[in-house]
Amino acid sequence: MSGEALLKVSGLEAAYGRARVLFGVDLEIPAGTLMCVMGRNGVGKTTLLNAIMGVLGPAAGSVVFDGADVTRLPTHERVRRGMGYVPQGHETFPQLTVFENLQVTLEASRHRDRGAIEEALEVFPRLKELLGRRAGFLSGGQQQQLAIARALVTRPRMLILDEPTEGIQPSIVAEIEAAVERLNKEGGLAVLLVEQYLELALRLADRFVIIEGGAVRHAGTAEDLRDENVKRLLAV
Ligand SMILES: Nc1ncnc2c1ncn2[C@@H]1O[C@H](COP(=O)(O)OP(=O)(O)OP(=O)(O)O)[C@@H](O)[C@H]1O
Ligand SMILES: [Mg+2]
């Protein structure tokens, strides 16, 4: 995988004021790969994604996407280059309708092709009946689908998802899992997924990393993840 990774994170460090959270994270995600990031609550998974996306400026280290160093670029420029981010907690514009949420994202995208909204709605057909509804009135699961659909409207080369199934009703979890699986396995979309639901991670992930102590403690395949020692690292 040397040099050819779609996303390469090297020695990434991040802190909130004096509180250091990441102490040198290394990650490589080849094109088309679904990588799952795991780790106990509060180890810094969200901090890692925010640093990768430039929401939080890293204290040290680098982020290279598609061969270009994006470490100093603003978040919106990373999005334009194909990094589609769905932050933890299904963020949408609550006052805007479902359609307006998608439209606003399209207008900010590089391609501005209206077909991208149709494509995103094909991934989550449930949203088609809700186009005129304000996002703030959707259920948590519907909002999560909308948040992912918004990222898809930008036509990303990599989808970065932070706990997309957290606190969501099981029927919608299954739809989200199926959608992510299709996008990755059929569409070849690379995915960086933070997920604490182990069984789902085992079904979807090609590779995984476990964060502990501010760095990657384990890296391997789904088979390795079944190992008892690795499971112990994830136990609360
Ligand atoms: N804005 C912030 N200011 C100060 N400290 C923060 C901030 N956000 C997170 N932290 C701290 O940084 C550490 C890592 O938090 P982070 O949210 O990245 O963890 P996480 O692995 O995503 O947790 P979870 O599994 O609960 O989502 C925690 O100790 C948290 O309290
Ligand atoms: Mg988090």
Side-chain angles (χ1 to χ4, degrees):
M1 252 149 266
S2 50
E4 295 305 317
L6 180 57
L7 178 70
K8 187 169 185 306
V9 173
S10 310
L12 202 63
E13 298 181 17
Y16 298 102
R18 288 188 184 177
R20 278 232 279 172
V21 176
L22 302 180
F23 291 84
V25 173
D26 298 305
L27 271 185
E28 269 192 49
I29 307 182
T33 298
L34 195 149
M35 163 87 73
C36 186
V37 174
M38 308 190 81
R40 294 186 176 103
N41 284 110
V43 292
K45 303 179 297 295
T46 296
T47 302
L48 172 62
L49 298 193
N50 281 338
I52 287 173
M53 288 306 297
V55 174
L56 177 70
S62 67
V63 180
V64 174
F65 185 73
D66 198 15
D69 189 331
V70 300
T71 316
R72 310 265 160 248
L73 294 182
T75 303
H76 65 86
E77 182 54 32
R78 299 182 206 216
V79 174
R80 288 173 69 90
R81 287 170 182 237
M83 301 169 76
Y85 186 30
V86 184
Q88 190 165 12
H90 42 77
E91 283 174 28
T92 58
F93 299 116
Q95 307 292 345
L96 300 185
T97 66
V98 167
F99 186 72
E100 288 165 346
N101 264 275
L102 297 172
Q103 203 174 26
V104 162
T105 310
L106 180 73
E107 279 159 14
S109 74
R110 190 197 285 256
H111 60 78
R112 297 194 173 203
D113 177 355
R114 302 206 136 262
I117 291 184
E118 297 300 318
E119 289 161 23
L121 291 171
E122 288 309 317
V123 175
F124 294 112
R126 190 186 283 268
L127 293 177
K128 287 188 201 170
E129 277 102 69
L130 301 167
L131 287 176
R133 190 167 308 179
R134 286 192 191 197
F137 291 114
L138 301 179
S139 73
Q142 291 163 344
Q143 285 186 35
Q144 184 64 272
Q145 292 187 326
L146 175 57
I148 299 171
R150 283 183 54 209
L152 292 175
V153 161
T154 66
R155 291 208 174 121
R157 304 196 51 209
M158 175 176 287
L159 191 57
I160 300 177
L161 302 169
D162 196 350
E163 302 209 36
T165 68
E166 188 185 26
I168 285 172
Q169 66 189 80
S171 64
I172 296 197
V173 168
E175 288 178 17
I176 290 172
E177 177 179 346
V180 171
E181 181 166 35
R182 259 198 322 276
L183 289 163
N184 173 247
K185 304 289 186 280
E186 291 168 27
L189 182 62
V191 180
L192 174 54
L193 171 70
V194 169
E195 181 57 63
Q196 306 227 52
Y197 176 14
L198 184 61
E199 291 306 317
L200 187 147
L202 285 168
R203 286 194 294 268
L204 289 182
D206 301 305
R207 313 274 314 162
F208 74 91
V209 293
I210 297 177
I211 307 286
E212 198 186 63
V216 173
R217 175 75 184 277
H218 263 267
T221 63
E223 276 307 303
D224 303 326
L225 198 56
R226 294 186 185 276
D227 188 280
E228 287 311 308
N229 291 325
V230 173
K231 280 191 177 161
R232 200 171 325 125
L233 271 178
L234 295 170
V236 183

